[in-house]
Amino acid sequence: MQAKFKIYINLIEKHIVLEDIDCLTFYGANNVHLQMLKAFYPKLRIVARDNVLRVLGDEEQLCGLEESVEKLRSHVQKFNSLSAEDVIDIVKGRRVSDDVPKDVLVYSMSGRPIKARTINQQRLVDVYGESDLLFAVGPAGTGKTYLSIALAVKALKEKTAKKIILSRPAVEAGEKLGFLPGDMKDKIDPYLQPLYDALEDMLPQVKLQEMMEKRVIQIAPLAFMRGRTLSDAVVILDEAQNTTPQQLRMFLTRMGWNTKMIVTGDTSQIDLPRSQKSGLVEALKILKGVEGIGIVELTKQDIVRHKLVTRIVKAYEQYDKEVEEQTTTN
């Protein structure tokens, strides 16, 4: 929180900047939280514009308001939520727990705790803490990408990492890149949209945009990784089943100091040409048992999407098994 102030006759004006939070959450629906602050500090004139509170009044109340605003801002930053009861308790100095439960990674923009929901998801979280390189493999809907990004956002918030780097291979499935409209960014963005979606669920829109402009958060196709050394970061490669062995080897050797890598993929959804080997399948064989590398396999029991997704995955597994049996028989 930053503050600037001017001195008037018997009055002080101060500008309080609300950093790293969603201002709509802080102000409340229809500015209800802001109105409560005004009621608690009747001798102050408080005007809000975007993420800045312009305050005019006597020094004693102004100091009290500034302390309350910082506590409220800190609460919103941690939990992405703020209720009228929270405002009352914090301003009145009542005990409000600011401790995030141990099993919660971060909170979504709706205030929902994001944490492991199955045994294998918890194992993913645990192995991440123990390993510098983690492979998370499993079918669609098991939370591989979402949990990985939550771990990265947590590291950024706790300052154990200076940046987040997210990547995906841009594999053509149905449409050629050259035929898609727009410039290269427009062509690539659809492949990266799931990563944007997860980030938008965990970080305020304005803050996310600022982090991307300052390259604290970087999202790029796998091809853009060649020649880089990735240090002080959490680096996530999503959809790794669609990498070639050469691409994945190139990516893994980008690891620099104080960096953790997470590689996610689903070996049942390989979109590469049939003649091309999957880099993920090969890496899982080559790197199994290497010290410092963790491998977590999620199953259809870990699917946390709509219940139909589990049935769909099961049906396709059965179909693939039948096709394989028929091919072997013939």
Side-chain angles (χ1 to χ4, degrees):
M1 183 177 70
Q2 297 176 347
K4 299 178 181 179
F5 61 91
K6 300 176 183 177
I7 299 178
Y8 291 82
I9 298 175
N10 298 323
L11 295 175
I12 291 181
E13 180 185 6
K14 184 171 286 191
H15 292 182
I16 303 174
V17 182
L18 304 173
E19 295 180 327
D20 301 336
I21 62 169
D22 177 41
C23 293
L24 293 177
T25 302
F26 183 92
Y27 296 141
N30 300 316
N31 287 331
V32 63
H33 300 156
L34 184 61
Q35 297 305 322
M36 292 173 70
L37 279 176
K38 290 179 179 180
F40 278 117
Y41 297 95
K43 294 182 181 179
L44 299 178
R45 182 171 180 263
I46 306 171
V47 178
R49 178 169 292 180
D50 297 327
N51 70 327
V52 179
L53 291 176
R54 180 175 175 271
V55 188
L56 182 65
D58 75 86
E59 186 174 3
E60 184 178 350
Q61 279 217 355
L62 201 151
C63 289
L65 172 71
E66 190 173 12
E67 184 178 345
S68 294
V69 167
E70 173 55 24
K71 289 178 180 178
L72 292 167
R73 188 203 64 82
S74 177
H75 186 90
V76 173
Q77 185 183 34
K78 287 184 179 179
F79 301 102
N80 279 328
S81 65
L82 187 68
S83 66
E85 290 77 12
D86 291 331
V87 174
I88 294 170
D89 289 343
I90 289 172
V91 173
K92 288 192 172 184
R94 296 173 185 166
R95 184 177 179 83
V96 177
S97 176
D98 268 346
D99 295 330
V100 175
K102 188 177 179 180
D103 61 339
V104 174
L105 301 176
V106 291
Y107 286 82
S108 73
M109 290 309 300
S110 63
R112 173 178 56 84
I114 298 173
K115 58 184 178 179
R117 295 169 60 182
T118 69
I119 293 174
N120 283 328
Q121 284 188 356
Q122 185 59 53
R123 185 162 176 267
L124 187 158
V125 173
D126 294 339
V127 173
Y128 167 83
E130 301 164 359
S131 310
D132 289 332
L133 172 59
L134 165 64
F135 287 89
V137 185
T142 50
K144 306 181 299 294
T145 302
Y146 194 76
L147 270 182
S148 297
I149 291 178
L151 285 164
V153 170
K154 183 176 188 286
L156 205 60
K157 284 177 175 284
E158 295 178 349
K159 302 187 186 305
T160 57
K162 293 182 180 178
K163 55 183 177 278
I164 298 173
I165 301 172
L166 309 174
S167 186
R168 266 188 164 203
V171 174
E172 300 169 357
E175 287 186 284
K176 299 289 184 181
L177 279 175
F179 288 97
L180 294 176
D183 58 19
M184 181 53 71
K185 182 179 184 302
D186 294 329
K187 295 173 190 292
I188 293 297
D189 271 357
Y191 292 99
L192 306 176
Q193 192 58 49
L195 306 180
Y196 289 115
D197 291 344
L199 285 169
E200 287 172 353
D201 195 36
M202 301 177 202
L203 292 168
Q205 183 63 47
V206 173
K207 186 62 180 176
L208 174 58
Q209 188 63 38
E210 179 187 330
M211 286 179 165
M212 293 183 70
E213 289 173 357
K214 292 181 177 179
R215 297 185 61 76
V216 174
I217 295 179
Q218 304 172 27
I219 304 179
L222 178 60
F224 290 17
M225 294 295 164
R226 186 173 295 279
R228 299 184 63 184
T229 299
L230 309 175
S231 301
D232 298 311
V234 178
V235 186
I236 299 172
L237 175 61
D238 194 32
E239 300 288 349
Q241 75 275 4
N242 289 327
T243 62
T244 65
Q246 295 79 12
Q247 286 176 327
L248 189 52
R249 182 184 297 189
M250 177 274 292
F251 174 81
L252 295 177
T253 54
R254 300 306 94 200
M255 180 181 284
W257 294 105
N258 190 37
T259 287
K260 281 182 174 281
M261 280 188 168
I262 306 176
V263 178
T264 72
D266 177 2
T267 54
S268 70
Q269 291 189 345
I270 298 172
D271 297 320
L272 295 168
R274 289 185 179 274
S275 60
Q276 180 67 65
K277 286 199 304 182
S278 166
L280 177 60
V281 172
E282 181 182 89
L284 290 173
K285 294 176 182 176
I286 294 173
L287 300 177
K288 186 176 182 180
V290 174
E291 185 179 355
I293 298 177
I295 299 175
V296 176
E297 295 184 11
L298 298 103
T299 69
K300 54 181 177 287
Q301 280 72 38
D302 298 299
I303 292 175
V304 291
R305 290 181 185 167
H306 193 287
K307 59 185 178 182
L308 271 179
V309 176
T310 304
R311 298 173 193 168
I312 290 169
V313 170
K314 188 175 181 180
Y316 270 98
E317 284 181 349
Q318 181 61 34
Y319 173 78
D320 290 341
K321 184 179 179 181
E322 291 173 359
V323 169
E324 185 178 350
E325 289 174 352
Q326 288 177 3
T327 303
T328 304
T329 303
N330 293 335

